Amino acid sequence: MKKFISLAVILAAQFVLLQPVLSVQAESAHKLHVSGAYIRTMPPGRTTTAGFLTIANHGTADCKVISASSPLSNRIEFHEHLHSDGMMRMRPVDSGIVLPAGEAVIFKPGGLHIMLFNIEQALVGGDTTQLQFNTDHCGSVEFSAEVRSLKAAPMAKKHH
Ligand SMILES: [Cu+2]
């Protein structure tokens, strides 16, 4: 009788093991990769700052960043700089930021950048903060951004 039960258990175990494994490979949520993200410290009395980063779309479809969120700010916009009449102007990009498949988009000083408004706390150089980009159909990507001092880095000591 004991033997019979053991055999039954083994058969049952085999049955379970032989069940075809459903390989439901969830579509990768890591199509978007952010690197080099930082925001600037603010001069005293200011509540607005800018952020910069590189975002690569490793997916096979274009997508569009439609919004950004941060614990520091309740209002984040995407801006670009335009030269017009010899003046540098910032213009909000309301249509979202297109991320072409297989390409990287760079947010950099003097070009495309993130603007964070209504910041109520001091930003300290060397700290990090979380940011999130939300896209139309590539999901969301969360990343950390370094807080970088507005002041230029001290000159490296010259070697003679
Ligand atoms: Cu701006």
Side-chain angles (χ1 to χ4, degrees):
M1 185 64 181
K2 199 178 176 204
K3 230 176 200 169
F4 178 73
I5 290 169
S6 299
L7 188 62
V9 168
I10 288 164
L11 285 174
Q14 280 184 347
F15 181 72
V16 169
L17 289 170
L18 290 173
Q19 284 288 315
V21 178
L22 284 174
S23 61
V24 181
Q25 192 86 29
E27 223 185 322
S28 172
H30 301 287
K31 284 178 186 168
L32 301 178
H33 184 251
V34 172
S35 57
Y38 70 96
I39 65 172
R40 283 179 173 159
T41 54
M42 301 176 291
R46 295 284 300 275
T47 57
T48 300
T49 195
F52 310 95
L53 55 94
T54 298
I55 180 166
N57 178 2
H58 297 303
T60 51
D62 295 356
C63 39
K64 200 187 263 189
V65 183
I66 47 177
S67 66
S69 38
S70 153
L72 289 175
S73 169
N74 60 7
R75 179 182 155 212
I76 301 179
E77 296 178 1
F78 302 115
H79 284 185
E80 62 185 349
H81 275 115
L82 294 175
H83 293 277
S84 62
D85 304 326
M87 299 265 290
M88 186 83 116
R89 292 171 202 275
M90 291 199 301
R91 193 187 70 168
V93 185
D94 295 326
S95 53
I97 308 299
V98 176
L99 305 176
E103 290 183 28
V105 173
I106 302 169
F107 291 65
K108 60 174 187 284
L112 184 63
H113 57 279
I114 317 163
M115 293 292 294
L116 299 92
F117 296 89
N118 308 327
I119 299 172
E120 288 176 347
Q121 65 191 83
L123 299 179
V124 179
D127 282 0
T128 55
T129 188
Q130 289 300 112
L131 271 163
Q132 184 174 309
F133 274 10
N134 309 304
T135 72
D136 52 357
H137 47 251
C138 289
S140 294
V141 58
E142 205 180 323
F143 53 95
S144 55
E146 182 195 336
V147 177
R148 210 173 275 183
S149 176
L150 264 183
K151 287 180 231 140
M155 292 268 280
K157 237 182 181 174
K158 275 184 184 143
H159 293 277
H160 295 279

